[in-house]
Amino acid sequence: MPGTKFKSAIVMIAIVAVVAACYYLLKPRLMSDKGFLEIAQAPIWSDLQGIEFQHRAKRDLKLPVLLKGAVDSGKYDVLGVVGKSSRTPSVWIVLNVNAGVNGIYAMPSDVDYALPCSYLRDLTSKEVIDSKVRVALQSHCIESL
């Protein structure tokens, strides 16, 4: 029956249109929700946590250190910098992408850190660094470290 197929096609098009409209209307709200973003960003946070755990006890690590393609299946680079905590010798920061309303990807996120401004200038000239991440790194750089 041609009429039934036509009606089914119209219903299917209407469903697709409603789903698309909901997606475009809700996406901005979801992307500003910290809880939603944490779930969507879980692979990056997990990889970063693994890197931090792997290097946690290495007090002799020469920092800063750049790990190319270290997180999210090789998509993003990670920078290890000197942590300003006796318990935490280093902080690991994803360079190429920021965490949206959650700030930047840094593990641990609650430890202050420092890096030489000269190193940051050199790194910025050679690597692609997300603008939000660059601003955060600049706020922690020290001319003589």
Side-chain angles (χ1 to χ4, degrees):
M1 296 220 220
T4 305
K5 287 185 180 181
F6 180 73
K7 288 179 184 177
S8 295
I10 295 295
V11 168
M12 191 60 104
I13 290 171
I15 290 170
V16 168
V18 168
V19 168
C22 288
Y23 173 78
Y24 286 108
L25 292 173
L26 292 176
K27 185 179 177 187
R29 176 173 274 160
L30 290 175
M31 294 310 285
S32 65
D33 181 315
K34 284 187 173 198
F36 174 79
L37 279 177
E38 285 177 4
I39 292 169
Q41 298 167 342
I44 296 173
W45 284 116
S46 176
D47 291 347
L48 198 56
Q49 186 175 23
I51 291 168
E52 189 276 331
F53 180 75
Q54 180 182 6
H55 294 91
R56 186 176 295 165
K58 295 181 181 178
R59 305 267 178 208
D60 60 340
L61 187 64
K62 301 295 182 208
L63 296 173
V65 63
L66 178 63
L67 305 176
K68 298 287 285 179
V71 296
D72 202 13
S73 302
K75 289 182 192 174
Y76 306 117
D77 303 333
V78 173
L79 179 67
V81 295
V82 176
K84 291 183 174 181
S85 164
S86 59
R87 288 185 332 117
T88 309
S90 52
V91 176
W92 300 90
I93 300 166
V94 177
L95 291 179
N96 319 98
V97 66
N98 68 65
V101 295
N102 291 326
I104 67 169
Y105 294 103
M107 184 66 64
S109 60
D110 59 347
V111 173
D112 197 15
Y113 59 91
L115 73 157
C117 292
S118 59
Y119 180 87
L120 181 57
R121 284 189 293 272
D122 185 51
L123 184 69
T124 303
S125 71
K126 295 177 183 175
E127 302 293 333
V128 176
I129 301 175
D130 178 85
S131 61
K132 186 185 267 189
V133 175
R134 186 173 45 254
V135 167
L137 291 173
Q138 287 170 337
S139 72
H140 290 270
C141 84
I142 298 171
E143 282 303 332
S144 60
L145 184 64

mmCIF file of all heavy atoms in Angstrom, residues 50-84:
data_model
loop_
_atom_site.group_PDB
_atom_site.id
_atom_site.type_symbol
_atom_site.label_atom_id
_atom_site.label_comp_id
_atom_site.label_asym_id
_atom_site.label_seq_id
_atom_site.Cartn_x
_atom_site.Cartn_y
_atom_site.Cartn_z
ATOM 1 N N GLY A 50 46.370 8.410 34.762
ATOM 2 C CA GLY A 50 47.349 7.338 34.608
ATOM 3 C C GLY A 50 48.764 7.881 34.500
ATOM 4 O O GLY A 50 49.702 7.328 35.087
ATOM 5 N N ILE A 51 48.936 8.960 33.745
ATOM 6 C CA ILE A 51 50.256 9.583 33.606
ATOM 7 C C ILE A 51 50.729 10.114 34.953
ATOM 8 O O ILE A 51 51.875 9.906 35.352
ATOM 9 C CB ILE A 51 50.213 10.712 32.556
ATOM 10 C CG1 ILE A 51 50.018 10.122 31.165
ATOM 11 C CG2 ILE A 51 51.480 11.562 32.607
ATOM 12 C CD1 ILE A 51 49.668 11.143 30.103
ATOM 13 N N GLU A 52 49.847 10.785 35.674
ATOM 14 C CA GLU A 52 50.211 11.336 36.984
ATOM 15 C C GLU A 52 50.604 10.213 37.944
ATOM 16 O O GLU A 52 51.607 10.297 38.648
ATOM 17 C CB GLU A 52 49.045 12.151 37.560
ATOM 18 C CG GLU A 52 49.396 12.936 38.810
ATOM 19 C CD GLU A 52 49.297 12.132 40.089
ATOM 20 O OE1 GLU A 52 48.475 11.189 40.161
ATOM 21 O OE2 GLU A 52 50.059 12.427 41.033
ATOM 22 N N PHE A 53 49.838 9.138 37.947
ATOM 23 C CA PHE A 53 50.123 8.013 38.839
ATOM 24 C C PHE A 53 51.469 7.372 38.490
ATOM 25 O O PHE A 53 52.260 7.041 39.368
ATOM 26 C CB PHE A 53 49.011 6.971 38.771
ATOM 27 C CG PHE A 53 49.242 5.794 39.665
ATOM 28 C CD1 PHE A 53 49.063 5.903 41.033
ATOM 29 C CD2 PHE A 53 49.676 4.584 39.141
ATOM 30 C CE1 PHE A 53 49.294 4.821 41.872
ATOM 31 C CE2 PHE A 53 49.914 3.493 39.968
ATOM 32 C CZ PHE A 53 49.718 3.610 41.336
ATOM 33 N N GLN A 54 51.734 7.214 37.197
ATOM 34 C CA GLN A 54 52.976 6.597 36.732
ATOM 35 C C GLN A 54 54.210 7.394 37.171
ATOM 36 O O GLN A 54 55.256 6.824 37.461
ATOM 37 C CB GLN A 54 52.936 6.498 35.211
ATOM 38 C CG GLN A 54 54.143 5.888 34.583
ATOM 39 C CD GLN A 54 54.038 5.870 33.063
ATOM 40 O OE1 GLN A 54 53.101 6.412 32.481
ATOM 41 N NE2 GLN A 54 55.000 5.253 32.415
ATOM 42 N N HIS A 55 54.086 8.716 37.250
ATOM 43 C CA HIS A 55 55.225 9.571 37.573
ATOM 44 C C HIS A 55 55.210 10.107 39.011
ATOM 45 O O HIS A 55 56.100 10.855 39.392
ATOM 46 C CB HIS A 55 55.281 10.756 36.608
ATOM 47 C CG HIS A 55 55.568 10.344 35.202
ATOM 48 N ND1 HIS A 55 54.570 10.057 34.308
ATOM 49 C CD2 HIS A 55 56.734 10.160 34.548
ATOM 50 C CE1 HIS A 55 55.118 9.720 33.160
ATOM 51 N NE2 HIS A 55 56.428 9.772 33.274
ATOM 52 N N ARG A 56 54.228 9.722 39.796
ATOM 53 C CA ARG A 56 54.046 10.280 41.140
ATOM 54 C C ARG A 56 55.273 10.120 42.029
ATOM 55 O O ARG A 56 55.640 11.035 42.765
ATOM 56 C CB ARG A 56 52.843 9.615 41.799
ATOM 57 C CG ARG A 56 52.457 10.208 43.125
ATOM 58 C CD ARG A 56 51.215 9.571 43.683
ATOM 59 N NE ARG A 56 50.075 9.865 42.814
ATOM 60 C CZ ARG A 56 48.913 9.214 42.887
ATOM 61 N NH1 ARG A 56 48.748 8.237 43.761
ATOM 62 N NH2 ARG A 56 47.929 9.534 42.081
ATOM 63 N N ALA A 57 55.931 9.000 41.972
ATOM 64 C CA ALA A 57 57.064 8.737 42.872
ATOM 65 C C ALA A 57 58.412 9.141 42.273
ATOM 66 O O ALA A 57 59.433 9.034 42.944
ATOM 67 C CB ALA A 57 57.090 7.256 43.228
ATOM 68 N N LYS A 58 58.433 9.620 41.055
ATOM 69 C CA LYS A 58 59.694 9.964 40.389
ATOM 70 C C LYS A 58 60.117 11.378 40.755
ATOM 71 O O LYS A 58 59.780 12.340 40.093
ATOM 72 C CB LYS A 58 59.555 9.818 38.873
ATOM 73 C CG LYS A 58 59.305 8.397 38.442
ATOM 74 C CD LYS A 58 59.202 8.295 36.942
ATOM 75 C CE LYS A 58 58.935 6.858 36.544
ATOM 76 N NZ LYS A 58 58.777 6.737 35.102
ATOM 77 N N ARG A 59 60.879 11.489 41.802
ATOM 78 C CA ARG A 59 61.343 12.795 42.275
ATOM 79 C C ARG A 59 62.517 13.320 41.450
ATOM 80 O O ARG A 59 62.809 14.494 41.491
ATOM 81 C CB ARG A 59 61.765 12.706 43.742
ATOM 82 C CG ARG A 59 60.696 12.162 44.653
ATOM 83 C CD ARG A 59 59.888 13.255 45.251
ATOM 84 N NE ARG A 59 58.830 12.674 46.082
ATOM 85 C CZ ARG A 59 57.696 13.282 46.294
ATOM 86 N NH1 ARG A 59 57.468 14.454 45.791
ATOM 87 N NH2 ARG A 59 56.776 12.717 47.040
ATOM 88 N N ASP A 60 63.179 12.448 40.697
ATOM 89 C CA ASP A 60 64.341 12.860 39.917
ATOM 90 C C ASP A 60 63.986 13.217 38.466
ATOM 91 O O ASP A 60 64.865 13.469 37.661
ATOM 92 C CB ASP A 60 65.393 11.753 39.932
ATOM 93 C CG ASP A 60 64.875 10.449 39.342
ATOM 94 O OD1 ASP A 60 63.646 10.258 39.261
ATOM 95 O OD2 ASP A 60 65.711 9.606 38.960
ATOM 96 N N LEU A 61 62.714 13.245 38.139
ATOM 97 C CA LEU A 61 62.268 13.568 36.786
ATOM 98 C C LEU A 61 62.637 15.007 36.441
ATOM 99 O O LEU A 61 62.387 15.923 37.219
ATOM 100 C CB LEU A 61 60.744 13.383 36.695
ATOM 101 C CG LEU A 61 60.105 13.512 35.327
ATOM 102 C CD1 LEU A 61 60.611 12.418 34.390
ATOM 103 C CD2 LEU A 61 58.593 13.393 35.461
ATOM 104 N N LYS A 62 63.267 15.206 35.308
ATOM 105 C CA LYS A 62 63.641 16.546 34.857
ATOM 106 C C LYS A 62 62.410 17.199 34.220
ATOM 107 O O LYS A 62 61.917 16.733 33.203
ATOM 108 C CB LYS A 62 64.787 16.490 33.840
ATOM 109 C CG LYS A 62 66.039 15.843 34.370
ATOM 110 C CD LYS A 62 66.639 16.653 35.496
ATOM 111 C CE LYS A 62 67.917 16.013 35.983
ATOM 112 N NZ LYS A 62 68.225 16.266 37.334
ATOM 113 N N LEU A 63 61.929 18.239 34.855
ATOM 114 C CA LEU A 63 60.722 18.918 34.387
ATOM 115 C C LEU A 63 61.067 20.308 33.906
ATOM 116 O O LEU A 63 61.997 20.913 34.419
ATOM 117 C CB LEU A 63 59.699 18.997 35.525
ATOM 118 C CG LEU A 63 59.175 17.658 36.008
ATOM 119 C CD1 LEU A 63 58.321 17.837 37.235
ATOM 120 C CD2 LEU A 63 58.372 16.958 34.942
ATOM 121 N N PRO A 64 60.363 20.875 32.985
ATOM 122 C CA PRO A 64 59.187 20.331 32.323
ATOM 123 C C PRO A 64 59.545 19.256 31.285
ATOM 124 O O PRO A 64 60.658 19.204 30.789
ATOM 125 C CB PRO A 64 58.560 21.542 31.643
ATOM 126 C CG PRO A 64 59.610 22.568 31.564
ATOM 127 C CD PRO A 64 60.637 22.259 32.601
ATOM 128 N N VAL A 65 58.554 18.423 31.007
ATOM 129 C CA VAL A 65 58.714 17.364 30.016
ATOM 130 C C VAL A 65 57.458 17.310 29.154
ATOM 131 O O VAL A 65 56.342 17.437 29.656
ATOM 132 C CB VAL A 65 59.006 16.007 30.690
ATOM 133 C CG1 VAL A 65 57.862 15.549 31.570
ATOM 134 C CG2 VAL A 65 59.333 14.945 29.667
ATOM 135 N N LEU A 66 57.646 17.161 27.855
ATOM 136 C CA LEU A 66 56.538 17.104 26.904
ATOM 137 C C LEU A 66 56.321 15.665 26.470
ATOM 138 O O LEU A 66 57.253 15.003 26.018
ATOM 139 C CB LEU A 66 56.847 17.983 25.686
ATOM 140 C CG LEU A 66 55.800 18.007 24.569
ATOM 141 C CD1 LEU A 66 54.481 18.597 25.072
ATOM 142 C CD2 LEU A 66 56.322 18.794 23.374
ATOM 143 N N LEU A 67 55.092 15.191 26.620
ATOM 144 C CA LEU A 67 54.710 13.854 26.169
ATOM 145 C C LEU A 67 53.783 14.023 24.964
ATOM 146 O O LEU A 67 52.629 14.421 25.113
ATOM 147 C CB LEU A 67 53.997 13.091 27.290
ATOM 148 C CG LEU A 67 54.731 12.956 28.625
ATOM 149 C CD1 LEU A 67 53.845 12.260 29.649
ATOM 150 C CD2 LEU A 67 56.031 12.210 28.439
ATOM 151 N N LYS A 68 54.289 13.745 23.782
ATOM 152 C CA LYS A 68 53.517 13.923 22.550
ATOM 153 C C LYS A 68 52.484 12.803 22.406
ATOM 154 O O LYS A 68 52.781 11.639 22.609
ATOM 155 C CB LYS A 68 54.441 13.920 21.337
ATOM 156 C CG LYS A 68 55.478 15.030 21.304
ATOM 157 C CD LYS A 68 54.866 16.356 20.995
ATOM 158 C CE LYS A 68 54.535 16.411 19.516
ATOM 159 N NZ LYS A 68 53.904 17.643 19.109
ATOM 160 N N GLY A 69 51.251 13.177 22.046
ATOM 161 C CA GLY A 69 50.195 12.200 21.792
ATOM 162 C C GLY A 69 49.909 11.277 22.952
ATOM 163 O O GLY A 69 49.619 10.102 22.762
ATOM 164 N N ALA A 70 49.947 11.805 24.161
ATOM 165 C CA ALA A 70 49.879 10.959 25.356
ATOM 166 C C ALA A 70 48.464 10.634 25.831
ATOM 167 O O ALA A 70 48.289 9.688 26.591
ATOM 168 C CB ALA A 70 50.643 11.632 26.496
ATOM 169 N N VAL A 71 47.469 11.403 25.408
ATOM 170 C CA VAL A 71 46.109 11.142 25.900
ATOM 171 C C VAL A 71 45.092 11.091 24.757
ATOM 172 O O VAL A 71 45.335 11.617 23.676
ATOM 173 C CB VAL A 71 45.644 12.175 26.953
ATOM 174 C CG1 VAL A 71 46.484 12.111 28.205
ATOM 175 C CG2 VAL A 71 45.637 13.574 26.401
ATOM 176 N N ASP A 72 43.963 10.476 25.061
ATOM 177 C CA ASP A 72 42.832 10.343 24.144
ATOM 178 C C ASP A 72 43.264 9.720 22.814
ATOM 179 O O ASP A 72 43.083 10.299 21.743
ATOM 180 C CB ASP A 72 42.136 11.687 23.934
ATOM 181 C CG ASP A 72 40.697 11.518 23.463
ATOM 182 O OD1 ASP A 72 40.169 10.384 23.527
ATOM 183 O OD2 ASP A 72 40.099 12.517 23.015
ATOM 184 N N SER A 73 43.848 8.543 22.909
ATOM 185 C CA SER A 73 44.294 7.770 21.735
ATOM 186 C C SER A 73 45.255 8.551 20.847
ATOM 187 O O SER A 73 45.175 8.500 19.628
ATOM 188 C CB SER A 73 43.085 7.294 20.928
ATOM 189 O OG SER A 73 42.234 6.506 21.716
ATOM 190 N N GLY A 74 46.140 9.313 21.467
ATOM 191 C CA GLY A 74 47.166 10.029 20.724
ATOM 192 C C GLY A 74 46.766 11.380 20.170
ATOM 193 O O GLY A 74 47.535 12.010 19.453
ATOM 194 N N LYS A 75 45.578 11.855 20.526
ATOM 195 C CA LYS A 75 45.108 13.148 20.001
ATOM 196 C C LYS A 75 45.810 14.339 20.623
ATOM 197 O O LYS A 75 46.015 15.350 19.961
ATOM 198 C CB LYS A 75 43.601 13.312 20.230
ATOM 199 C CG LYS A 75 42.734 12.444 19.395
ATOM 200 C CD LYS A 75 41.269 12.767 19.704
ATOM 201 C CE LYS A 75 40.341 11.743 19.124
ATOM 202 N NZ LYS A 75 38.958 11.982 19.546
ATOM 203 N N TYR A 76 46.137 14.254 21.919
ATOM 204 C CA TYR A 76 46.603 15.428 22.646
ATOM 205 C C TYR A 76 47.944 15.202 23.340
ATOM 206 O O TYR A 76 48.255 14.101 23.773
ATOM 207 C CB TYR A 76 45.553 15.851 23.676
ATOM 208 C CG TYR A 76 44.186 16.056 23.084
ATOM 209 C CD1 TYR A 76 43.109 15.280 23.467
ATOM 210 C CD2 TYR A 76 43.972 17.024 22.108
ATOM 211 C CE1 TYR A 76 41.859 15.453 22.919
ATOM 212 C CE2 TYR A 76 42.723 17.204 21.541
ATOM 213 C CZ TYR A 76 41.670 16.424 21.948
ATOM 214 O OH TYR A 76 40.433 16.599 21.387
ATOM 215 N N ASP A 77 48.691 16.297 23.448
ATOM 216 C CA ASP A 77 49.989 16.288 24.116
ATOM 217 C C ASP A 77 49.814 16.690 25.578
ATOM 218 O O ASP A 77 48.876 17.411 25.930
ATOM 219 C CB ASP A 77 50.940 17.286 23.450
ATOM 220 C CG ASP A 77 51.117 17.013 21.965
ATOM 221 O OD1 ASP A 77 50.963 15.852 21.543
ATOM 222 O OD2 ASP A 77 51.405 17.967 21.226
ATOM 223 N N VAL A 78 50.746 16.235 26.399
ATOM 224 C CA VAL A 78 50.708 16.523 27.833
ATOM 225 C C VAL A 78 52.047 17.117 28.247
ATOM 226 O O VAL A 78 53.105 16.660 27.810
ATOM 227 C CB VAL A 78 50.423 15.237 28.649
ATOM 228 C CG1 VAL A 78 50.542 15.489 30.139
ATOM 229 C CG2 VAL A 78 49.038 14.698 28.315
ATOM 230 N N LEU A 79 51.980 18.133 29.092
ATOM 231 C CA LEU A 79 53.176 18.772 29.623
ATOM 232 C C LEU A 79 53.258 18.496 31.124
ATOM 233 O O LEU A 79 52.305 18.733 31.855
ATOM 234 C CB LEU A 79 53.119 20.287 29.387
ATOM 235 C CG LEU A 79 54.303 21.099 29.908
ATOM 236 C CD1 LEU A 79 55.567 20.744 29.127
ATOM 237 C CD2 LEU A 79 54.012 22.594 29.794
ATOM 238 N N GLY A 80 54.403 17.987 31.548
ATOM 239 C CA GLY A 80 54.674 17.805 32.975
ATOM 240 C C GLY A 80 55.464 18.994 33.480
ATOM 241 O O GLY A 80 56.475 19.361 32.889
ATOM 242 N N VAL A 81 54.985 19.617 34.542
ATOM 243 C CA VAL A 81 55.652 20.785 35.122
ATOM 244 C C VAL A 81 55.892 20.555 36.610
ATOM 245 O O VAL A 81 55.324 19.648 37.204
ATOM 246 C CB VAL A 81 54.825 22.086 34.895
ATOM 247 C CG1 VAL A 81 54.749 22.421 33.418
ATOM 248 C CG2 VAL A 81 53.430 21.960 35.477
ATOM 249 N N VAL A 82 56.723 21.396 37.197
ATOM 250 C CA VAL A 82 57.094 21.263 38.606
ATOM 251 C C VAL A 82 55.914 21.625 39.507
ATOM 252 O O VAL A 82 55.363 22.729 39.410
ATOM 253 C CB VAL A 82 58.295 22.172 38.933
ATOM 254 C CG1 VAL A 82 58.628 22.119 40.416
ATOM 255 C CG2 VAL A 82 59.502 21.784 38.098
ATOM 256 N N GLY A 83 55.530 20.688 40.366
ATOM 257 C CA GLY A 83 54.487 20.950 41.343
ATOM 258 C C GLY A 83 55.065 21.633 42.566
ATOM 259 O O GLY A 83 56.192 21.349 42.965
ATOM 260 N N LYS A 84 54.300 22.541 43.151
ATOM 261 C CA LYS A 84 54.776 23.262 44.336
ATOM 262 C C LYS A 84 54.229 22.634 45.617
ATOM 263 O O LYS A 84 53.763 23.325 46.506
ATOM 264 C CB LYS A 84 54.337 24.726 44.262
ATOM 265 C CG LYS A 84 55.019 25.526 43.174
ATOM 266 C CD LYS A 84 54.564 26.965 43.254
ATOM 267 C CE LYS A 84 55.283 27.865 42.307
ATOM 268 N NZ LYS A 84 54.822 29.250 42.429
#
